[in-house]
């Protein structure tokens, strides 16, 4: 899971491209954060900003965006790293 190459959809063209977590631009990250926050799949991401913050922290750790949203938590307004992620790193 850590440092894997993931497949994602390019929003504008609908094409599939292979990207690493570090290849996302800030604009890409913001668009992805909005889509994932609105998906309702990540209950602790109540806003686009929270999703983007989790994705950016994960990016610094070499994680994919979705894995970051799954294993980094918002607790009392602060980002916390889950024990599974600590063990994986």
């Amino acid at each position: 899971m850590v440092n894997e190459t993931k497949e994602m959809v390019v929003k504008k063209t609908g094409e599939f491209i292979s990207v690493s977590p570090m290849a996302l631009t800030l604009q890409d990250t913001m668009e992805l954060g909005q889509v994932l926050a609105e998906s309702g799949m990540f209950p602790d991401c109540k806003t686009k900003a929270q999703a983007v913050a989790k994705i950016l922290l994960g990016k610094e750790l070499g994680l994919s965006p979705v894995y970051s949203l799954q294993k980094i938590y918002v607790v009392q307004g602060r980002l916390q790293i889950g024990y599974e992620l600590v063990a994986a790193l």
Side-chain angles (χ1 to χ4, degrees):
M1 291 178 232
V2 177
N3 291 326
E4 289 181 354
T5 299
K6 300 290 182 185
E7 295 286 328
M8 70 173 284
V9 176
V10 177
K11 184 178 180 182
K12 295 177 180 128
T13 64
E15 297 175 11
F16 283 96
I17 60 169
S18 183
V19 297
S20 72
M22 305 308 280
L24 296 174
T25 66
L26 181 57
Q27 183 64 34
D28 293 338
T29 302
M30 292 177 69
E31 288 179 15
L32 185 59
Q34 181 173 356
V35 169
L36 294 174
E38 290 175 0
S39 75
M41 303 279 302
F42 308 97
D44 67 334
C45 285
K46 304 207 183 321
T47 66
K48 171 185 167 182
Q50 288 178 336
V52 170
K54 289 173 71 170
I55 292 169
L56 290 174
L57 176 57
K59 184 176 181 179
E60 289 183 20
L61 298 171
L63 306 174
S64 71
V66 171
Y67 191 74
S68 298
L69 292 177
Q70 291 174 331
K71 299 301 179 184
I72 298 172
Y73 305 97
V74 179
V75 179
Q76 296 181 348
R78 295 181 179 230
L79 295 177
Q80 304 289 319
I81 297 173
Y83 68 89
E84 305 97 341
L85 178 53
V86 172
L89 293 173

